[in-house]
Amino acid sequence: MNWTDERVEKLKKLWSEGLSASQIAAQLGGVSRNAVIGKVHRLNLPGRAKTGGTQAAARPKRPAAPAPRPAAAFAARPATQRAAARPAGAGLSKDEIDAVFDGAADQLPVPANANSIVVPMSRRLELTQLTERTCKWPIGDPLNEDFHFCGNESPDNSPYCTYHQRLAYQPSAERRRMR
DNA sequence: CCCTGATTCGC
DNA sequence: GCGAATCAGG
């Protein structure tokens, strides 16, 4: 794809709105997130603010020209070590908190015979967090604030998780019995 | 492993 | 100029 004026314009717009490079790449289409990031740099657009301290601490420039990658010079790596310090009484992780709130989340078009069906907890993903392997089953009203996607893992290349797969595609017989 | 942005450098 | 490969970090 070419960086037409219009595409560049859209890139600038979305970037300034804070969308991630991968998301912008997805909206533009035909380009990778790397392409987007590269373009952002070439355009001298402001990068993302680094929260707090860890600024780009002078990187070693990259191991001298690995042009013909003979898979050799990548043996030893400086073992980075940090004291993974978590405050003694650290609270719940984001995931743990989310899990709790997901209790009454689903507003799915649940089948009448849902009693026996286990409705999986959704990960409440935003549109910007969907990937090739996340369930894209929408939950809630798109016009509503709490609109989100299932986001559970979906089998290779499938748009839905195993649960929503059944809702998306049902044998006519079963569907008829359901109504 | 999923993701993020940053950088280098062959093309 | 472009962007894959790579790095560093969450």
Side-chain angles (χ1 to χ4, degrees):
Chain A
M1 274 298 231
N2 240 13
W3 282 111
T4 64
D5 286 4
E6 295 180 21
R7 287 166 64 76
V8 171
E9 188 182 341
K10 189 169 185 178
L11 165 60
K12 289 180 179 176
K13 177 176 177 291
L14 297 176
W15 183 259
S16 67
E17 288 176 359
L19 292 194
S20 72
S22 64
Q23 262 309 299
I24 296 174
Q27 290 201 27
L28 289 176
V31 289
S32 67
R33 73 179 196 90
N34 278 322
V36 170
I37 292 174
K39 187 60 178 174
V40 165
H41 279 234
R42 265 170 260 125
L43 289 172
N44 290 312
L45 294 180
R48 261 59 196 277
K50 295 290 184 183
T51 55
T54 315
Q55 282 290 347
R59 200 160 297 139
K61 291 286 187 178
R62 194 217 240 189
R69 307 171 192 288
F74 291 99
R77 284 273 160 71
T80 306
Q81 39 184 258
R82 282 165 292 163
R86 191 180 188 183
L92 297 173
S93 70
K94 182 178 184 301
D95 285 339
E96 291 168 330
I97 294 175
D98 284 349
V100 172
F101 277 85
D102 278 332
D106 289 359
Q107 302 167 32
L108 294 173
V110 182
N113 62 356
N115 312 322
S116 60
I117 298 179
V118 177
V119 178
M121 179 181 75
S122 93
R123 292 173 65 194
R124 305 207 61 147
L125 294 187
E126 306 300 319
L127 177 58
T128 59
Q129 307 179 113
L130 293 176
T131 73
E132 274 82 32
R133 355 184 140 55
T134 56
C135 179
K136 298 163 189 63
W137 188 272
I139 298 174
D141 187 341
L143 298 180
N144 214 72
E145 279 304 320
D146 66 350
F147 176 69
H148 60 283
F149 293 88
C150 168
N152 281 133
E153 182 175 333
S154 60
D156 189 64
N157 291 325
S158 171
Y160 304 118
C161 63
T162 53
Y163 170 71
H164 293 307
Q165 216 159 24
R166 283 182 240 148
L167 297 185
Y169 173 73
Q170 298 181 44
S172 58
E174 184 179 334
R175 177 166 46 199
R176 191 171 297 117
R177 189 193 324 143
M178 183 183 95
R179 41 169 56 189

